[in-house]
């Protein structure tokens, strides 16, 4: 069985980060170890959330794991809350990366042209440096713009998206995935760039006019799970995009559904079918 470690916060209510990554990755038949970076009462779109920083626990956890000689097939980082945590992640990668360990970074910071509560443009530039150490990064258009220090654009064409992908690749990541790409009316999707082969790929689906928290985490977790199931990146992205759309579709179909997160639970059987388990 493959084992990954995912490093992000626990938002106790809110269906994002670890409360999404753990069930999805487990359901895909992959062992998911965790390093919680913070405990919040809810994600940061609620008012008055509590926040307990767990930065001081990261190094002792890592030191214990080194003694135990734990091996990880992937290290997947999501929401990280401070410059110090970025520094510790770089250290963590150096410590636990072996030849067959995939470093997967979702630079969770922003969406729809805006940084999430508590993040700054300076943090985005530092996150960009961490992304240079990754095998795969999965920023959305807003995160990509902040990491590159370029203005966020609502409208653009394919050439612009390709240019953003090349610039992200120049940060040093081996494969770059850009999510939330939209230059064809009514379509939204994912584009990739592989520096080694200088090739692009794209996968688009019908645009759904709904925005939920945690869908980026659903997408990234599914992508990691699919990669650990042996799928090539292009296939993994299709499964991840289709599952995310299915989660939104099921959520929208429910009367009085939550507005803070998607019903990813009801779509788990669909996900299992898609990965052929
Ligand atoms: O889904 C990303 C995410 C993760 N963790 C926390 C968040 C968010 C998005 O806002 O607030 C705490």
């Amino acid at each position: 069985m493959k084992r990954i470690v995912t490093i992000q916060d626990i938002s106790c209510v809110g269906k994002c980060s670890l409360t999404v990554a753990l069930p999805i990755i487990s359901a895909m038949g992959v062992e998911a170890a965790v390093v919680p970076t913070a405990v919040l009462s809810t994600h940061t779109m609620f008012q008055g959330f509590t926040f307990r920083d767990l930065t001081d626990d990261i190094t002792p956890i890592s030191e214990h794991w080194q003694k135990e000689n734990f091996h990880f097939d992937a290290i997947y980082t999501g929401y990280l809350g401070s410059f110090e945590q970025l520094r510790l992640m770089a250290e963590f990668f150096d410590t636990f990366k072996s030849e067959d360990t995939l470093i997967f970074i979702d630079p969770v910071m922003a969406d729809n042209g805006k940084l999430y509560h508590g993040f700054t443009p300076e943090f985005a530039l530092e996150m960009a440096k961490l992304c240079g150490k990754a095998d795969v990064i999965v920023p959305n258009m807003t995160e990509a713009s902040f990491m590159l220090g370029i203005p966020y654009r609502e409208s653009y064409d394919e050439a612009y998206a390709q240019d953003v992908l090349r610039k992200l690749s120049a940060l040093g990541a081996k494969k770059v995935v850009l999510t939330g790409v939209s230059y064809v009316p009514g379509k939204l999707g994912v584009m990739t760039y592989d520096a080694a082969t200088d090739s692009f790929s794209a996968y688009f689906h019908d645009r759904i006019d709904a925005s939920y928290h945690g869908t980026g985490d659903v997408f990234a977790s599914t992508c990691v799970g699919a990669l650990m199931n042996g799928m090539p990146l292009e296939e993994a992205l299709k499964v991840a995009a289709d599952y995310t759309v299915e989660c939104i579709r099921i959520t929208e179909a429910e009367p009085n559904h939550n507005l803070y997160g998607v019903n990813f639970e009801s779509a788990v059987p669909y996900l299992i079918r898609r990965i052929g388990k």
Side-chain angles (χ1 to χ4, degrees), residues 9-14 16-17 38-53 79 81 115-119 213 260:
D9 69 281
I10 298 184
S11 291
C12 300
V13 170
C16 67
S17 38
V39 181
L40 292 81
S41 51
T42 63
H43 62 51
T44 59
M45 299 310 273
F46 287 86
Q47 297 289 315
F49 60 87
T50 68
F51 187 101
R52 180 173 299 277
D53 181 68
Y79 182 99
L115 288 164
Y116 294 143
H117 179 97
F119 289 103
H213 252 69
Y260 59 76

Side-chain angles (χ1 to χ4, degrees), residues 40-271:
L40 292 81
S41 51
T42 63
H43 62 51
T44 59
M45 299 310 273
F46 287 86
Q47 297 289 315
F49 60 87
T50 68
F51 187 101
R52 180 173 299 277
D53 181 68
L54 297 177
T55 305
D56 288 348
D57 289 295
I58 296 174
T59 301
I61 290 172
S62 162
E63 283 171 356
H64 178 210
W65 288 0
Q66 285 172 68
K67 288 201 188 104
E68 295 290 339
N69 267 324
F70 288 145
H71 170 266
F72 299 106
D73 295 293
I75 303 171
Y76 155 35
T77 67
Y79 182 99
L80 299 169
S82 65
F83 286 89
E84 176 63 0
Q85 287 189 351
L86 293 177
R87 194 189 64 73
L88 288 169
M89 286 309 101
E91 233 174 67
F92 192 92
F93 296 162
D94 291 342
T95 304
F96 287 101
K97 183 168 172 71
S98 56
E99 250 168 51
D100 58 348
T101 305
L102 180 89
I103 308 274
F104 186 104
I105 299 184
D106 183 5
V108 178
M109 290 179 293
D111 205 2
N112 302 314
K114 291 200 188 80
L115 288 164
Y116 294 143
H117 179 97
F119 289 103
T120 61
E122 293 72 31
F123 181 87
L125 298 178
E126 209 54 33
M127 177 66 96
K129 288 189 200 154
L130 186 68
C131 283
K133 287 181 158 278
D135 295 299
V136 179
I137 60 172
V138 293
N140 60 36
M141 255 299 179
T142 309
E143 288 154 351
S145 307
F146 276 103
M147 289 202 293
L148 296 173
I150 57 176
Y152 171 75
R153 283 172 60 168
E154 283 286 345
S155 64
Y156 48 87
D157 58 10
E158 182 181 11
Y160 178 81
Q162 290 186 343
D163 187 49
V164 169
L165 278 157
R166 278 190 203 280
K167 287 188 169 121
L168 288 168
S169 172
L171 297 174
K174 292 198 185 74
K175 295 187 184 187
V176 178
V177 177
L178 191 56
T179 66
V181 179
S182 182
Y183 53 78
V184 176
K187 299 275 176 191
L188 184 74
V190 198
M191 279 179 80
T192 70
Y193 178 65
D194 183 341
T197 53
D198 191 28
S199 55
F200 294 97
S201 77
Y203 183 63
F204 288 93
H205 49 78
D206 289 342
R207 189 185 190 105
I208 307 175
D209 276 324
S211 170
Y212 292 94
H213 252 69
T215 48
D217 302 333
V218 170
F219 175 85
S221 304
T222 310
C223 191
V224 171
L227 290 170
M228 291 297 108
N229 273 272
M231 290 188 176
L233 183 64
E234 281 72 20
E235 280 308 303
L237 294 177
K238 284 182 191 166
V239 171
D242 291 348
Y243 176 58
T244 308
V245 169
E246 184 65 9
C247 294
I248 296 172
R249 201 188 58 71
I250 290 178
T251 307
E252 293 272 283
E254 253 176 88
N256 307 319
H257 56 258
N258 287 332
L259 296 174
Y260 59 76
V262 287
N263 180 349
F264 70 90
E265 298 91 337
S266 298
V268 165
Y270 167 86
L271 176 60

